[in-house]
Amino acid sequence: MKSYCIIGGGLAGLSLAGRLLLAGEKITLIDDACPSGASRLAAGMFNIVTGKHAVKTWLAEELLADLKAFFEIPIFEKLQQYIHYQPLYRPFKDIGEYNDWLGKYQSPELKDYIRFQATQIQADIFANPLGGIFIENCGWLDTTGFLQGLLAILNEFPHFQYIEKKIAATQIDLQEKQIVWEEKPIFFDELILANGWQISQESIWQIPLLPVKGEILRIYAPDLQLPFLLSGKIYVIPTGSGHFIAGATYEWDFAHNEPTQAGKEILCAHLDELLQVKYEIISHGAGIRPTTHDRRPVLGTHPQFPHLHVFTGFGTKGVLSFAHFSQIMAGYLQGKNSLGKEYDVQRYYRKGRMKG
Ligand SMILES: Cc1cc2nc3c(=O)[nH]c(=O)nc-3n(C[C@H](O)[C@H](O)[C@H](O)COP(=O)(O)OP(=O)(O)OC[C@H]3O[C@@H](n4cnc5c(N)ncnc54)[C@H](O)[C@@H]3O)c2cc1C
């Protein structure tokens, strides 16, 4: 049994811990449980046809299949209460987009996922004058409930230890393979940094991520009866009993990770454009996505410290990514599989973005 220390308890760190525990390994997971951590704040939506030009996501089928399979692992079955499969409705912005979709919705690549809606629906509650498309195989994950539930399951394992604490780079001793601790040192065979965007900031291994701040609202709109997720300039996710998550903003140049008045105004302007019903803001939050320049995750090992690894870079697709890539990362750490070039951290060294 090897001893793994994982820093970061978001979707990346916790799912990896779960995979390694199931494979019989010993895990210490350290997380500062910051409430604005991307995973806790995320809207949790998953959708495999995304972007301005609505193309199928890289590895779409594998990511979706592995997400479903994760919740079918017997010990994780009780987490199914947190995942909700629902179609997503995307109103057409203009007649150009309507015509584009008319031409492509039956293409072999998209026909199994797209339903064309040629006329408006539920126009009394939201604007969609030209109709839109329904995208199948979408949904949302209640990430807060899921992370709490997963941690509770992992806590049942005798070889799992959870420590709520922020670790400074100065506490990590890679020569002695220990985290220097005021009580007693934490020894590890392998150390995995799954600390989201913060790996680009202060860590012993600065990976050049492209962190993207996002702000999000939780709203109450009892007259908004939505049997699907709605996505225009803003997405609106029905979470039950008249409550919704509405988001998000995308900000590449930011001074802090707090919610701002400007962010709120952008979100409200989009909501006012889309919704025909009244809503009340319940809360407003902000977090930072661990995005990469090439929109691929970052997995792998430090070129000089063979026991130091990274697992991050999920960007805007944390939910679709965690199950697939935690399986790959766990297998890699155990020597069962290699890493794909597209997401191996070595690409930064090959391309000269980092010096080895
Ligand atoms: C506003 C917003 C909306 C989003 N909506 C969606 C969505 O709808 N669908 C989707 O799929 N994705 C969404 N995302 C993206 C998603 O949240 C991320 O891709 C994903 O959560 C990243 O997970 P992670 O575990 O890598 O990072 P994080 O969730 O950031 O986890 C890292 C953890 O490490 C901790 N940590 C950092 N440094 C230290 C340290 N030194 N010591 C101890 N602990 C440390 C952090 O506090 C945090 O708990 C959204 C993100 C934001 C900000």
Side-chain angles (χ1 to χ4, degrees):
M1 186 190 285
K2 265 191 174 182
S3 204
Y4 293 84
C5 179
I6 301 175
I7 299 182
L11 288 170
L14 266 178
S15 59
L16 179 63
R19 297 281 192 195
L20 288 169
L21 282 168
L22 285 179
E25 304 290 11
K26 184 177 172 198
I27 310 291
T28 301
L29 189 138
I30 310 176
D31 184 61
D32 62 3
C34 173
S36 64
S39 301
R40 283 174 194 85
L41 192 96
M45 189 168 78
F46 56 92
N47 167 16
I48 59 167
V49 180
T50 57
K52 200 169 158 199
H53 302 291
V55 287
K56 205 150 83 170
T57 298
W58 174 65
L59 297 180
E61 276 85 7
E62 287 101 311
L63 300 185
L64 197 58
D66 286 345
L67 180 64
K68 286 184 178 160
F70 185 89
F71 290 88
E72 283 158 14
I73 297 171
I75 198 163
F76 298 146
E77 269 177 357
K78 63 173 99 151
L79 300 172
Q80 281 175 9
Q81 61 183 302
Y82 301 112
I83 190 153
H84 307 273
Y85 293 95
Q86 273 178 315
L88 179 146
Y89 184 59
R90 190 172 152 155
F92 296 126
K93 280 197 228 42
D94 50 39
I95 195 71
E97 201 184 52
Y98 178 103
N99 286 331
D100 266 8
W101 273 106
L102 203 53
K104 73 179 178 190
Y105 83 100
Q106 283 180 316
S107 68
E109 156 130 328
L110 294 174
K111 70 177 173 34
D112 292 338
Y113 299 99
I114 305 294
R115 265 190 295 134
F116 194 87
Q117 173 63 42
T119 51
Q120 63 181 351
I121 50 169
Q122 297 184 253
D124 52 327
I125 57 171
F126 69 95
N128 65 131
L130 299 168
I133 49 158
F134 280 102
I135 307 175
E136 302 294 347
N137 287 300
C138 298
W140 69 282
L141 177 70
D142 167 359
T143 54
T144 310
F146 170 72
L147 292 172
Q148 278 168 3
L150 181 54
L151 181 58
I153 293 171
L154 302 191
N155 270 323
E156 297 290 313
F157 281 76
H159 300 301
F160 179 70
Q161 183 189 15
Y162 175 75
I163 299 172
E164 193 177 310
K165 182 93 182 162
K166 187 167 185 75
I167 293 294
T170 49
Q171 286 174 272
I172 299 173
D173 180 348
L174 290 171
Q175 305 302 333
E176 298 299 322
K177 294 202 274 176
Q178 61 168 323
I179 308 258
V180 181
W181 194 252
E182 58 263 31
E183 289 154 30
K184 59 175 183 171
I186 299 164
F187 291 99
F188 55 79
D189 296 311
E190 312 293 337
L191 175 67
I192 301 113
L193 301 178
N195 54 339
W197 73 280
Q198 293 184 66
I199 197 166
S200 61
Q201 298 286 301
E202 51 161 352
S203 121
I204 46 171
W205 186 11
Q206 294 184 344
I207 309 277
L209 299 185
L210 184 66
V212 180
K213 180 175 175 182
E215 299 194 30
I216 204 162
L217 297 176
R218 285 177 188 263
I219 61 168
Y220 178 59
D223 297 331
L224 189 63
Q225 302 291 328
L226 281 187
F228 42 74
L229 317 176
L230 183 60
S231 177
K233 282 184 190 160
I234 190 167
Y235 51 75
V236 180
I237 302 174
T239 59
S241 311
H243 288 264
F244 298 84
I245 303 174
T249 58
Y250 295 84
E251 208 184 331
W252 284 263
D253 190 12
F254 51 88
H256 55 76
N257 62 356
E258 298 298 319
T260 62
Q261 183 60 26
K264 190 181 192 174
E265 281 167 15
I266 292 172
L267 294 170
C268 288
H270 291 334
L271 272 178
D272 294 343
E273 205 178 301
L274 183 64
L275 301 186
Q276 312 286 1
V277 294
K278 289 204 171 81
Y279 62 89
E280 179 194 337
I281 296 173
I282 304 294
S283 68
H284 174 203
I288 301 178
R289 306 170 181 93
T291 309
T292 56
H293 293 77
D294 54 10
R295 306 289 186 271
R296 300 290 181 260
V298 189
L299 282 65
T301 302
H302 194 286
Q304 277 146 27
F305 302 107
H307 304 291
L308 176 62
H309 314 277
V310 60
F311 184 47
T312 188
F314 291 170
T316 58
K317 296 195 169 72
V319 174
L320 264 185
S321 304
F322 78 83
H324 180 77
F325 288 105
S326 62
Q327 188 164 23
I328 291 178
M329 187 69 189
Y332 166 74
L333 290 167
Q334 294 192 300
K336 294 179 183 164
N337 54 261
S338 56
L339 298 177
K341 273 187 183 167
E342 314 95 301
Y343 52 81
D344 191 329
V345 68
Q346 296 308 325
R347 71 190 187 272
Y348 290 115
Y349 297 95
R350 271 201 317 273
K351 291 180 183 163
R353 294 186 65 100
M354 291 179 81
K355 291 202 168 41

